[in-house]
């Protein structure tokens, strides 16, 4: 495996991600920001942050599989949430739990959460992008 996830001594342990990913592979896969689209282009979970988070992660998983990768190969994720406030965290965690159940994996690479004013279309509440490293 090309990615080793860790929480070094002296850094806090966070439930939903690791602080550091050490990559030793040679091929890098960049996944474009994924929104809550179904394969037919329809929006999944309009108005439901948890449902959209889950769909975004499923879409990232599909994109990774297309590149011959899995969430075990992800070195970094970035999550963009429209009008982010800390009180939305339970919805975000719920969406992550739904995605983990559907994917059979609990993605936990280093991650950054960024609040934004808007995404590409008004129905999108969240967008998730990933970088993976393969041997």
């Amino acid at each position: 495996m090309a990615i080793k996830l860790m929480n070094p001594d002296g850094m806090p342990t966070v439930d939903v991600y690791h602080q550091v990913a050490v990559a030793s592979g040679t091929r890098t896969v960049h996944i474009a920001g994924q929104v809550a689209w179904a394969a037919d282009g329809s929006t999944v979970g309009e108005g439901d942050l948890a449902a959209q988070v889950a769909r975004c992660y499923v879409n990232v998983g599909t994109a990774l599989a297309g590149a011959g990768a899995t969430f075990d190969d992800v070195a970094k994720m970035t999550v963009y949430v429209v009008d982010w406030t800390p009180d939305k965290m339970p919805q975000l965690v719920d969406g992550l739990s739904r995605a983990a159940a559907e994917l059979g994996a609990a993605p936990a690479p280093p991650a950054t959460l960024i609040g934004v004013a808007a995404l590409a279309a008004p129905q999108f509440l969240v967008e998730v992008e990933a970088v993976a490293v393969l041997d």
Side-chain angles (χ1 to χ4, degrees):
M1 189 176 328
I3 301 292
K4 178 183 177 188
L5 300 177
M6 66 175 74
N7 289 309
D9 290 341
M11 296 190 77
T13 298
V14 181
D15 292 339
V16 295
Y17 66 90
H18 287 82
Q19 296 286 2
V20 176
V22 178
S24 60
T26 57
R27 281 192 311 146
T28 306
V29 179
H30 295 264
I31 305 298
Q34 297 298 303
V35 293
W37 271 335
D40 66 3
S42 63
T43 301
V44 173
E46 202 159 332
D48 182 343
L49 180 60
Q52 287 201 12
V53 168
R55 185 58 195 209
C56 290
Y57 275 81
V58 167
N59 288 350
V60 169
T62 301
L64 288 166
T70 70
F71 277 102
D72 288 338
D73 301 305
V74 174
K76 175 76 168 78
M77 298 186 82
T78 305
V79 180
Y80 303 90
V81 181
V82 173
D83 297 326
W84 174 256
T85 55
D87 64 309
K88 293 182 180 179
M89 185 59 81
Q91 296 169 43
L92 182 73
V93 172
D94 180 29
L96 289 169
S97 295
R98 292 182 199 182
E102 186 170 341
L103 295 165
T112 299
L113 173 65
I114 301 172
V116 296
L119 293 168
Q123 69 268 26
F124 300 136
L125 304 175
V126 61
E127 185 168 331
V128 179
E129 63 183 22
V131 177
V133 179
L134 306 174
D135 286 326

